[in-house]
Amino acid sequence: MANIIHKIRQAIPDIDTYREILDTITRNKSRSFLTGFGVFWGVFMLILLIGGGQGLKELLAKNFDGFASNTVFIFADRTTKAYDGFRKGRQWCTTDVDVERLQNQIPELDVVTPMLFAGSSTAIYGDKKTNGNVKGIKPSYEKVQASKIRYGRTLNEMDDEKSRKVCVIGKKIYQDLFSPGTDPCGQRIKVGNIYYQIVGVDFNSSSISINGRSTEAISIPFSVCRKTYNFGNQVHAIAMTGRGSVKMSSLSDKMRSIVARAHHIDPTDERAISVFNTEMMFSIIDSLFSGVNFLIWLIGLGTILAGAIGVSNIMMVTVKERTTEIGIRRAIGATPKMILSQILSESLLLTAVAGMSGILFGVMILQMLELANTTDGILEAHFQVNFWTAIFAAILLSVLGTAAGLAPAYRAMAIKPVDAMRDE
């Protein structure tokens, strides 16, 4: 029974010990504050840089909002090389047959969908009007560039098959024609000389200009666009995505060759058959932020380490100032382990409090940045660190706090009562 009581007493934290540690740290408030501020600032900068870098990456990625990372667009332009008896400067266009060729001859492709561009038109609703870019698309285009539907729905197969005069409008078109918070679905707008019923509002904010910005787009069914503007079998652009992890850059030459052969164009004429690959854009961003993240961690960890060294130096000074006190403790029976524990606890507490304050303050600032980047109730970017990054920072603080106290603790352990009295 006595052994059990003894173990329970050992398990209960010694309040007096913690009170003594706190008293020691607060004995010289200015010095403790300035020492802890070094750790606080290092952790704060690390959290702020990581979260800010993540938010900046998402903001840049907004330029490709909704686009699949393995997307390719093919556009036709004037030839710049003479080929197969045809002179250079010849105007040509892709057709429905090219869509079938690419789908049938390149099994690595997942989606192959045609697009038509009708140019800029004035959209009118009541006494309000604005300019928008009309494009004809098929429902499969949703797999190329995903919509952010705020109201209604996207275009579907029935819209295209039955040539319904319906449309999905972009964010700017909606804001120019309708009051904020109004659901425009079911309303009719006049685009050019034709009335279209709105079935959806797309808040996609991509800056990639495929016949204009997404915010200014008026998307109508492909069949309706073809008949309305008398485009025949022309296709202004062909959008494609690859299956799984297929790299579209490896298929670019094959795509160009298939289309070039059918239209008697030099396969090396990159101007005549323009290939736009989003994979390159995503790759540039990933490479850029890999370097940025490396610099962030290098700067952040360096600052934290400098703060920890500052803690170690101050603890050294503290130990020297308390030489007599430590000697008296040894004289009345304190073991080296108790002295070691005392100094390490002081170092760990100072580092942990300063570091956790840095984490909390950093997260608070990042939260404010998120609120500042919210538009129409939609969060533009996440300026936050993930859970495991915060856990890693907490563990790192504990390790550095312990390491910072080791040298002062061993120095304190080496103090002998006789030497302490002589120092007095």
Side-chain angles (χ1 to χ4, degrees):
M1 187 66 180
N3 290 334
I4 295 176
I5 294 174
H6 178 67
K7 289 180 179 180
I8 292 175
R9 286 178 177 175
Q10 286 184 327
I12 297 175
D14 189 349
I15 302 299
D16 291 336
T17 300
Y18 291 125
R19 188 176 297 164
E20 184 179 355
I21 292 171
L22 186 61
D23 180 66
T24 303
I25 292 175
T26 57
R27 190 177 299 166
N28 192 324
K29 294 182 176 63
S30 298
R31 185 169 66 189
S32 298
F33 173 78
L34 292 175
T35 303
F37 185 77
V39 177
F40 165 85
W41 187 252
V43 176
F44 168 71
M45 289 302 298
L46 177 62
I47 295 298
L48 191 65
L49 288 173
I50 292 175
Q54 176 63 30
L56 181 60
K57 181 178 181 180
E58 289 190 20
L59 286 176
L60 286 178
K62 286 285 182 182
N63 293 318
F64 316 105
D65 198 14
F67 278 100
S69 59
N70 59 344
T71 299
V72 164
F73 291 88
I74 287 184
F75 304 92
D77 203 347
R78 290 183 180 275
T79 60
T80 59
K81 297 179 181 179
Y83 184 76
D84 201 18
F86 292 90
R87 61 182 178 82
K88 67 177 183 179
R90 175 167 57 96
Q91 186 68 53
W92 68 286
C93 64
T94 50
T95 65
D96 291 334
V97 180
D98 292 314
V99 176
E100 296 176 6
R101 289 191 184 104
L102 291 168
Q103 184 75 74
N104 296 332
Q105 297 182 37
I106 307 181
E108 294 90 346
L109 295 179
D110 181 28
V111 175
V112 182
T113 183
M115 302 178 68
L116 290 172
F117 306 137
S120 179
S121 292
T122 301
I124 302 174
Y125 177 75
D127 59 348
K128 297 180 181 179
K129 63 180 180 179
T130 186
N131 289 325
N133 301 305
V134 180
K135 63 181 180 182
I137 59 174
K138 287 183 173 290
S140 55
Y141 185 72
E142 184 68 19
K143 295 182 179 180
V144 175
Q145 184 183 14
S147 303
K148 285 190 174 180
I149 298 298
R150 185 66 179 270
Y151 300 103
R153 61 174 177 82
T154 59
L155 299 176
N156 58 35
E157 295 289 349
M158 294 299 290
D159 295 330
D160 192 49
E161 290 176 8
K162 295 191 175 183
S163 298
R164 293 172 176 168
K165 289 185 172 59
V166 295
C167 69
V168 173
I169 60 175
K171 180 179 178 180
K172 185 177 182 300
I173 306 296
Y174 166 74
Q175 292 175 335
D176 290 345
L177 298 182
F178 300 92
S179 301
T182 302
D183 185 350
C185 295
Q187 302 298 321
R188 293 183 178 275
I189 60 173
K190 184 179 180 182
V191 181
N193 296 319
I194 299 175
Y195 284 89
Y196 295 93
Q197 184 180 42
I198 299 174
V199 295
V201 179
D202 182 10
F203 267 38
N204 191 302
S205 56
S206 170
S207 296
I208 294 181
S209 181
I210 306 297
N211 189 46
R213 294 172 62 91
S214 299
T215 55
E216 301 171 355
I218 302 174
S219 302
I220 61 177
F222 184 84
S223 59
V224 174
C225 188
R226 168 165 285 176
K227 294 173 183 177
T228 301
Y229 296 95
N230 194 27
F231 285 134
N233 68 341
Q234 293 182 28
V235 171
H236 295 149
I238 303 175
M240 293 162 283
T241 62
R243 296 181 185 277
S245 58
V246 171
K247 286 189 172 293
M248 298 299 281
S249 55
S250 64
L251 302 176
S252 296
D253 291 339
K254 188 175 182 180
M255 295 174 189
R256 187 178 281 112
S257 177
I258 290 172
V259 176
R261 186 169 58 249
H263 294 273
H264 305 284
I265 297 173
D266 189 334
T268 63
D269 192 347
E270 296 184 1
R271 179 70 180 273
I273 306 175
S274 179
V275 177
F276 174 71
N277 189 352
T278 61
E279 176 190 317
M280 298 176 61
M281 303 296 180
F282 283 100
S283 177
I284 290 173
I285 289 182
D286 288 339
S287 299
L288 172 64
F289 278 92
S290 292
V292 170
N293 287 336
F294 174 77
L295 288 176
I296 286 173
W297 279 100
L298 185 65
I299 295 171
L301 292 178
T303 309
I304 293 175
L305 184 60
I309 292 173
V311 172
S312 181
N313 289 335
I314 291 300
M315 293 303 297
M316 280 286 195
V317 174
T318 302
V319 167
K320 185 172 180 60
E321 291 177 348
R322 296 164 60 192
T323 299
T324 302
E325 175 193 331
I326 294 171
I328 293 173
R329 284 173 178 269
R330 294 293 305 276
I332 62 177
T335 64
K337 181 180 178 181
M338 294 171 66
I339 300 297
L340 177 68
S341 175
Q342 176 78 14
I343 302 301
L344 285 179
S345 297
E346 292 174 10
S347 173
L348 184 57
L349 180 62
L350 183 60
T351 307
V353 170
M356 291 303 176
S357 299
I359 292 176
L360 292 175
F361 190 62
V363 170
M364 184 179 70
I365 296 298
L366 291 174
Q367 187 65 37
M368 293 171 64
L369 286 175
E370 278 196 357
L371 294 175
N373 281 275
T374 301
T375 306
D376 298 317
I378 298 176
L379 187 63
E380 296 292 333
H382 296 83
F383 287 88
Q384 284 296 349
V385 294
N386 62 46
F387 174 76
W388 292 110
T389 301
I391 291 296
F392 173 76
I395 294 174
L396 180 64
L397 287 172
S398 300
V399 172
L400 289 178
T402 304
L406 282 176
Y410 279 116
R411 178 173 178 175
M413 281 173 45
I415 295 175
K416 297 179 181 179
V418 175
D419 296 332
M421 296 304 178
R422 188 182 299 119
D423 185 72
E424 178 65 19

